[in-house]
Amino acid sequence: MNVSEIAARAKQASYILGALPPETKDRALNAMACALRVHADEILAANQLDLQEAKRAVEAGEMKPALYERLKLTREKLEVVIRGVEELVELPDPVGNVLAATELDEGLNLYKVSCPIGLIGVIFEARPDVVPQIAALAAKSGNAVVLKGGREALHTNDALAKVLQNALASVPGYPPEALNLIHTREESAQMLALDQFFDLIIPRGGNSLIAYVKANTKIPVLGHADGVCHIFVARSADVEMAKKICIDAKNQYPSACNALETLLIDENWPDHYKKELLDALVKSGVELFGGADVAALAPVRGPVTDWHTEYGEKKLSVKQVKNVLDAVEHINRYGSHHTDGILSADHDEVQIFMDLTDSAGVYHNASTRFADGYRYGFGAEVGISTGKTHARGPVGLEGLTIYKYKLYGNGQIVADYTGAQAKPFTHKKIGGNI
């Protein structure tokens, strides 16, 4: 079956999904979670095959170590994904919610109601946990999906897709064509050309992937190109808190898109605090890059050649700035509008940072690693959007819905509301139930 045929069948399935009762969707989620646990060993065995090939690629200089780390699927990581699927069952159904209700006239009522987007194409690199996360979010939100993973995760993606497809096929009333996996770059290019079927494309990967997708499709694109995340250490920051948060933000998962990549320090923060923080980072295994002023405080590997750098490993750009406004200017200029934070005890300074920093997530006294759909209580996420479309930040269930207007009348016609004897509209807000 070619991509066009897969997309056509998936599009038809999306119409069925849009009208499924919540109970059917939740049964699908429970079936998926159960199947992932039952087949965990074979999924992890498939991941080992991918890791063996990836290790050879790393040794040959054909793959970055950060990509290898993203490829790993441990039993613990798989269990987190499964719990995320189960938590989606407990969340309210995002479809069919009345977002606004207006009486246009007596007996003529307009409702703005949430509904699925339809058919979504997802192109992603490495991270095989994307497959169950997106499959689950699509099931709960009533969307059909076509997934295209990177060849480095071929065995894992195939194993996950097979397990999930079989689970969904066991649920009465759930269309089996709703979840699909394609494999090649040629198929990916074909998908991007099918704007008659796809309603949204979500790329998850590096700059080159995002740029390629945006340049080669007419379909709306949702996603983020990179994660150049900052933390600004203000002059009132607590040094112990700063050490704990910065080390977590950089080292807890260095290859993640929400990991710390640039540390900004207020030049008025005491030098002995600066040295203490930078020394703690170095001792934790982080390589620092910065100018002569930073080199006077701690050992650096060299200057920063590009402030818009996503290392994806234990490397960190460091810069001293004049104040919070200088920090905000730097972040808005060089950042990726992903997630950026301030460490400060000054309320006014914090509010300036939170209001002026143009990022999808702005944090106070917290690690940037919290930028995640699971940690936000979304159950999972399809990705993080740094754009200013209908969804921003971690995109969970709400970001996978749009809305339609439903008008309920009783024989009204527009002619009665035009001309010299036109009836007036009431435009009165009414109760939210249809």
Side-chain angles (χ1 to χ4, degrees), residues 26 28-41 43-44 73-90 128-134 136-137 160 163-164 374 378-380:
D26 288 342
L29 290 169
N30 283 322
M32 292 166 67
C34 180
L36 289 170
R37 279 206 177 91
V38 169
H39 296 281
D41 287 343
I43 293 169
L44 296 174
L73 184 62
T74 64
R75 194 171 297 274
E76 292 74 21
K77 187 183 289 187
L78 182 58
E79 180 58 30
V80 169
V81 171
I82 295 170
R83 289 201 301 269
V85 175
E86 293 172 332
E87 288 181 9
L88 285 175
V89 177
E90 305 303 319
D129 50 331
V130 167
V131 174
Q133 285 178 345
I134 293 181
L137 285 166
L160 285 165
V163 166
L164 295 172
Y374 174 72
F378 298 167

Side-chain angles (χ1 to χ4, degrees), residues 105 413-425:
D105 193 7
I413 60 174
V414 169
D416 291 337
Y417 297 87
T418 59
Q421 303 299 318
K423 293 183 63 178
F425 288 107

